[in-house]
Amino acid sequence: MSINNSKTEVKRLFIGAGCNRIVNNVSWGASDLVSFGAQNAVVIFCPKSAQILTTLPGHKAVVNCTHWLPSNKFAFKAKQLERHYLLSGDADGVIILWELSLADNKWRPALQLPKSHKKGVTCITGFMVSQTDAIFATSSSDGTVCIWDVVFPTSFGCECKLSCLETLVVGSRPMVTLSLAQLPGNTGLIALAMGGLDNKIYLYCAERTGKFVRACELKGHTDWIRSLDFSLPIFSGEADSVLLVSSSQDKGIRIWKLTFRGSLANTEGTYKRGEIGLASYIEGPVFVAGSFSYQISLESLLIGHEDWVYSVQWQPPSLAAEEEIGFYQPQSILSASMDKTMMIWQPERKTGIWMNVVTVGELSHCALGFYGGHWSPDARSILAHGYGGSFHMWKNIGVSSDNWQPQKVPSGHFAAVTDIAWARCGEYLLSVSHDQTTRIFAPWHNRDPQSYGDSWNEIARPQVHGHDINCAAIIQGKGNHRFVSGAEEKVARVFEAPLSFLKTLHYATSEQSSFPEDVQADVQVLGANMSALGLSQKPIYVNATHEIQENLGNDGLDTLESVPDAVPVALTEPPIEDQLAWHTLWPESHKLYGHGNELFSLCCDHEGKLVASSCKAQSATVAEIWLWQVGSWKAVGRLQSHSLTVTQMEFSHDDNLLLAVSRDRQFSIFKINRAGNDEIDYKLVARQEAHKRIIWACSWNPFGHEFATGSRDKTVKIWGVEKTSSVKPLLTLPQFDSSVTALSWVGLDRQRNDGLLAVGMESGLLQIWSLHVERSDDSIPTPGVATAQIIRLDPFMCHVSAVIRLAWKNPENNEYSTNLQLASCGADHCVRLYEVIVH
């Protein structure tokens, strides 16, 4: 997607996001696209390219579940469809129906369902009755289940027709899983299976538009029911049947068989329910739906998982099946469990006993189990989503026998992303988050001439921490790659790139394959190991011999310290989750002690000599800004000015001035003088109350001593610093619709003093303003002569929650630039990258 202004064009380059840690959050559609929730956004990714395509804005609460119409199960019916639909439900009970037009890959919200649930939606399931008609059911933690009918338009631009068939009140123990199917026997009856917190499966039946009646209860599970899935009809001999698979927190999976027994009125014309004799119950209980009877029996009990089984799903029929010939329901089930494994179950040919035929999983100790498993429409791939917001995909690349191999998938943070920073030369983007990780995203240079060019991927996870991370700064200047991060603790931590990362980065971003020898001689650290408590990361040295420690007197029991060693290696292809989570850590080189509260913001000067840090504060002494000398890491200054938390700081591009903005609604400017013998002189030269509410953001003009401030009062103001160090207001941009939470200024033309100012808001929307600051002859900014003109980004390209930080990549040409990259991060768990082309 791109936005085109007469002078400026904005394209979307990359989105990184993790999945909400919620069961039923993911759905793989017949369109071969995967949907999931990332905070309030519905995210769509393409498994083939392993890239996120778009995010859909509309929900105001966390997205709990998504479901495609048609889903992967009905891909064989979806060949002729021009439009696919997606349902999404959130924690407020709101459900939105989205329409995807395959012709131009455009999304639009087709309709928002009338609010029928008072609490969060827990499950959505449904199926296409015909090309233009679908039935679906939704459950909520308010104890209700709604069944809906939707008629899709036959021509583009027409509206969908929606009707609520029924609302079932299921009581104080809500349902968390549903499955809908047409009952066998061509009776036109629909079955709804539901399960939840009382360990029973309830079966409801109804005619196409009739009232749903409870037909029977299925008992057997001894803990919460977590997943249910009906198979497509199975034709075996004379009797038609469908199979229902259920999984539970009792670690077991059960397969139930529903068999059509015929019409109750086919002999006498009338019937009495009492006439169903005991003989009919020998094969299993019989229930009545409409004027037909069905027998239900337990087909099999599958035991193999060692923890809660969160999802079970029947394998979709082959896409090659033709409707005239009849489709074939494969006897194959995929299950996903909190024991970190997914299993494929199939009956043995001779005995018919269901066996586990494939087991895949993440055996690393950092994966904490799977929340759901999904088949691809062609059943050649399986996808899991895990506790840590991560995806895991395996593809069967075997020809004569199964060979399931891990595949690349999109990745990203699974909590608010709090800061981003570009590498010195722009080779990669570093982000930190409240998910307690630091991640590095970079374009992976594709050496295959048949491919579509470079794609952005997560290539390293330098820090996996025990506290939420609030801020980070990359050290500028010469030498190895280093960054400082600040979390919800009083210590700032310094990290240095290990040799394994340098080799990976070189391979990913360079045309040449040979690695520079001088770098290899300088860097003696290969990687890092995580400590048992997950706070410090200790180096692994290049020449270290791997010693096997004998745990004497331990009696074979694991201790807290028995964390497996990382195996850092240079990567030749984008890493998968298992490698990222454990083998790409950077060693911690220093800790910076001094602040009295948890850290809030960090910045580094452009020479790479000083780092400034601030922490959360409610008094002037705690709100001090500390200056640290890069290299020796001594505290060389404590700058006092503000009385509340300093929210952002930035050095001017000549490093002479340090700008700080605060919750106390003031900005401060400090003059920094560097004496020859590494001593620092600093002096507060200006302080001014600039806004009526908290100032969240600030940014310097790269070509001068002008700067911008953005505030909760919905305004952005441009200021100029004069030679006398007094500050004058130059311009106030027109008031925005939402609080301004992020700013970043980039230079376009040094001679004309032209630049672009990116503005991010609490609503998630982004705007780019072109600024031209005129100067008088003696280089003093003249108030009132700055001009501005606007580009609004399409909401489908923007964040869906507050933008927390914006950062322009440093242009390669410092004098004149037309091709720029803008990175943004937000509370919606997303890291986004845009290409901005100025014509």
Side-chain angles (χ1 to χ4, degrees):
M1 182 182 277
S2 66
I3 296 290
N4 209 334
N5 179 295
S6 58
K7 289 188 176 178
T8 309
E9 189 182 354
V10 183
K11 291 181 183 171
R12 181 168 50 211
L13 273 186
F14 169 74
I15 303 170
C19 180
N20 288 338
R21 192 185 286 170
I22 302 166
V23 183
N24 301 328
N25 195 248
V26 176
S27 179
W28 198 331
S31 58
D32 205 17
L33 298 176
V34 175
S35 61
F36 66 94
Q39 206 238 13
N40 303 351
V42 178
V43 185
I44 309 297
F45 87 77
C46 172
K48 286 197 173 84
S49 66
Q51 294 289 308
I52 291 174
L53 303 179
T54 189
T55 55
L56 309 179
H59 289 284
K60 298 286 183 282
V62 171
V63 175
N64 280 351
C65 40
T66 62
H67 186 81
W68 283 92
L69 291 172
S71 64
N72 51 0
K73 191 192 290 187
F74 295 96
F76 68 96
K77 282 186 175 182
K79 293 174 190 170
Q80 310 303 322
L81 288 182
E82 294 173 7
R83 291 180 291 279
H84 286 242
Y85 294 86
L86 176 68
L87 288 154
S88 58
D90 69 25
D92 283 348
V94 173
I95 300 165
I96 299 176
L97 178 69
W98 307 88
E99 179 185 275
L100 167 66
S101 166
L102 293 182
D104 53 5
N105 283 323
K106 287 267 176 72
W107 283 90
R108 73 176 185 98
L111 57 87
Q112 183 169 321
L113 274 66
K115 192 163 179 185
S116 51
H117 295 301
K118 295 184 179 70
K119 292 184 182 174
V121 181
T122 54
C123 184
I124 302 176
T125 186
F127 64 90
M128 304 282 284
V129 180
S130 68
Q131 297 273 359
T132 57
D133 192 9
I135 183 168
F136 64 94
T138 59
S139 65
S140 165
S141 41
D142 65 1
T144 60
V145 174
C146 296
I147 299 99
W148 309 80
D149 183 82
V150 61
V151 179
F152 300 123
T154 47
S155 57
F156 188 72
C158 299
E159 293 304 308
C160 299
K161 291 176 186 166
L162 179 86
S163 55
C164 182
L165 297 180
E166 190 161 2
T167 300
L168 303 171
V169 179
V170 294
S172 59
R173 292 191 165 184
M175 296 296 140
V176 293
T177 179
L178 308 168
S179 187
L180 274 169
Q182 288 177 308
L183 280 170
N186 288 324
T187 57
L189 294 170
I190 287 168
L192 169 65
M194 58 176 81
L197 280 55
D198 62 357
N199 314 349
K200 298 175 193 169
I201 300 166
Y202 297 94
L203 209 59
Y204 285 76
C205 299
E207 290 181 8
R208 177 70 186 82
T209 53
K211 188 174 175 59
F212 277 80
V213 179
R214 186 188 287 192
C216 68
E217 296 175 9
L218 304 179
K219 297 178 185 176
H221 285 295
T222 57
D223 207 335
W224 291 8
I225 312 293
R226 292 315 301 231
S227 184
L228 294 166
D229 193 32
F230 274 114
S231 72
L232 293 162
I234 291 164
F235 308 103
S236 53
E238 296 175 14
D240 291 350
S241 60
V242 294
L243 296 173
L244 171 68
V245 61
S246 62
S247 73
S248 162
Q249 289 182 188
D250 64 10
K251 309 175 192 175
I253 298 167
R254 289 169 181 259
I255 302 173
W256 312 83
K257 188 174 186 179
L258 278 74
T259 309
F260 177 61
R261 293 182 79 245
S263 169
L264 295 166
N266 57 3
T267 50
E268 306 291 327
T270 59
Y271 79 100
K272 294 189 182 69
R273 192 178 284 262
E275 287 175 11
I276 299 174
L278 185 63
S280 8
Y281 279 87
I282 293 170
E283 291 179 16
V286 174
F287 69 89
V288 173
S291 56
F292 301 94
S293 68
Y294 294 86
Q295 190 152 42
I296 190 157
S297 57
L298 180 65
E299 176 85 352
S300 191
L301 172 62
L302 315 183
I303 301 292
H305 284 294
E306 296 171 3
D307 209 332
W308 299 354
V309 186
Y310 266 142
S311 86
V312 279
Q313 196 176 83
W314 287 98
Q315 180 181 323
S318 164
L319 289 171
E322 296 294 331
E323 278 191 74
E324 297 81 39
I325 306 166
F327 49 82
Y328 161 67
Q329 168 66 62
Q331 296 286 288
S332 181
I333 292 168
L334 175 70
S335 63
S337 163
M338 279 301 278
D339 66 7
K340 309 179 195 175
T341 63
M342 280 203 298
M343 294 182 179
I344 297 175
W345 305 81
Q346 291 171 359
E348 260 191 342
R349 283 187 182 174
K350 291 180 183 174
T351 61
I353 296 170
W354 284 78
M355 303 288 286
N356 162 26
V357 294
V358 175
T359 302
V360 294
E362 293 297 319
L363 300 176
S364 68
H365 79 288
C366 41
L368 287 168
F370 293 149
Y371 272 43
H374 302 267
W375 292 97
S376 64
D378 63 2
R380 298 290 293 174
S381 301
I382 51 177
L383 177 79
H385 68 105
Y387 178 86
S390 55
F391 286 104
H392 310 259
M393 189 164 82
W394 288 266
K395 188 174 184 180
N396 187 3
I397 58 172
V399 181
S400 54
S401 62
D402 282 359
N403 179 11
W404 294 88
Q405 291 298 318
Q407 302 294 306
K408 181 74 191 109
V409 282
S411 65
H413 294 283
F414 59 95
V417 188
T418 47
D419 207 351
I420 45 175
W422 283 97
R424 293 168 309 202
C425 304
E427 312 99 302
Y428 59 82
L429 181 69
L430 179 133
S431 62
V432 297
S433 163
H434 283 165
D435 70 4
Q436 307 188 346
T437 65
T438 300
R439 301 178 191 233
I440 286 178
F441 300 94
W444 196 278
H445 178 65
N446 213 320
R447 287 165 167 77
D448 179 5
Q450 303 295 318
S451 66
Y452 296 108
D454 298 358
S455 63
W456 280 74
N457 294 280
E458 185 181 347
I459 66 162
R461 208 166 289 170
Q463 186 184 9
V464 177
H465 201 41
H467 294 290
D468 294 4
I469 308 173
N470 291 330
C471 51
I474 286 180
I475 308 298
Q476 305 299 315
K478 294 175 182 174
N480 194 4
H481 298 267
R482 288 175 293 181
F483 74 89
V484 190
S485 75
E488 292 202 334
E489 53 180 349
K490 300 173 186 179
V491 187
R493 297 171 188 269
V494 184
F495 296 86
E496 188 159 335
L499 193 59
S500 57
F501 171 78
L502 297 175
K503 288 184 172 180
T504 300
L505 183 68
H506 181 79
Y507 188 90
T509 58
S510 168
E511 297 272 352
Q512 303 153 354
S513 51
S514 61
F515 186 71
E517 288 184 16
D518 56 330
V519 179
Q520 187 149 350
D522 286 348
V523 182
Q524 292 300 310
V525 176
L526 185 62
N529 268 323
M530 175 63 71
S531 71
L533 294 175
L535 293 175
S536 287
Q537 291 167 199
K538 301 182 173 71
I540 300 169
Y541 291 97
V542 174
N543 300 322
T545 54
H546 191 71
E547 295 174 8
I548 298 168
Q549 295 179 338
E550 295 180 18
N551 291 330
L552 298 172
N554 194 12
D555 295 331
L557 296 172
D558 282 352
T559 64
L560 198 62
E561 285 289 346
S562 65
V563 178
D565 282 349
V567 186
V569 291
L571 301 163
T572 55
E573 57 185 14
I576 57 170
E577 178 68 22
D578 204 20
Q579 295 165 307
L580 285 167
W582 198 238
H583 305 301
T584 60
L585 295 170
W586 289 20
E588 186 183 302
S589 61
H590 292 86
K591 294 181 179 70
L592 310 182
Y593 295 96
H595 285 289
N597 282 335
E598 55 262 46
L599 285 151
F600 196 81
S601 81
L602 284 162
C603 75
C604 179
D605 68 358
H606 300 84
E607 262 190 88
K609 299 280 179 65
L610 285 177
V611 168
S613 61
S614 73
C615 70
K616 291 183 181 175
Q618 290 185 317
S619 66
T621 49
V622 183
E624 290 177 330
I625 297 166
W626 285 57
L627 292 180
W628 309 88
Q629 189 174 55
V630 173
S632 69
W633 297 110
K634 290 180 191 166
V636 291
R638 294 168 67 172
L639 284 55
Q640 288 194 344
S641 173
H642 295 284
S643 56
L644 294 172
T645 307
V646 172
T647 52
Q648 195 178 354
M649 303 169 290
E650 193 175 295
F651 284 93
S652 63
H653 283 254
D654 59 8
D655 287 339
N656 290 332
L657 301 174
L658 173 64
L659 168 66
V661 294
S662 165
R663 282 179 173 271
D664 63 13
R665 307 172 187 179
Q666 297 183 332
F667 66 73
S668 299
I669 294 174
F670 299 89
K671 192 165 181 61
I672 309 289
N673 292 319
R674 291 171 171 80
N677 52 357
D678 287 344
E679 287 188 9
I680 303 293
D681 272 348
Y682 49 88
K683 179 184 165 191
L684 177 65
V685 293
R687 182 174 66 203
Q688 192 169 325
E689 183 158 329
H691 291 268
K692 294 174 184 165
R693 305 289 298 276
I694 292 170
I695 307 176
W696 281 124
C698 63
S699 188
W700 284 101
N701 174 11
F703 297 150
H705 283 172
E706 298 85 35
F707 64 90
T709 56
S711 162
R712 188 181 272 174
D713 66 9
K714 304 181 183 176
T715 61
V716 172
K717 295 181 179 179
I718 314 294
W719 311 80
V721 183
E722 299 189 331
K723 281 189 174 175
T724 57
S725 297
S726 62
V727 179
K728 287 196 172 178
L730 299 183
L731 175 76
T732 301
L733 297 185
Q735 187 154 8
F736 292 86
D737 298 332
S738 178
S739 299
V740 175
T741 51
L743 293 171
S744 187
W745 195 332
V746 68
L748 290 178
D749 186 335
R750 186 180 290 274
Q751 279 191 321
R752 299 187 58 212
N753 204 8
D754 282 351
L756 294 179
L757 180 68
V759 181
M761 286 168 271
E762 196 172 32
S763 60
L765 298 179
L766 289 170
Q767 295 184 7
I768 297 173
W769 292 71
S770 77
L771 296 180
H772 169 65
V773 182
E774 289 184 14
R775 293 200 178 100
S776 56
D777 295 338
D778 54 357
S779 298
I780 299 171
T782 313
V785 291
T787 56
Q789 144 193 6
I790 181 179
I791 308 146
R792 294 175 195 267
L793 271 68
D794 186 296
F796 278 81
M797 291 178 74
C798 297
H799 293 271
V800 299
S801 298
V803 182
I804 296 177
R805 194 71 84 227
L806 291 165
W808 291 98
K809 179 178 169 181
N810 283 334
E812 292 174 13
N813 182 343
N814 287 330
E815 300 297 318
Y816 184 78
S817 314
T818 56
N819 205 327
L820 301 158
Q821 286 185 0
L822 172 66
S824 68
C825 66
D828 60 359
H829 310 179
C830 290
V831 173
R832 294 168 188 264
L833 186 61
Y834 306 93
E835 186 174 25
V836 180
I837 301 159
V838 182
H839 298 296

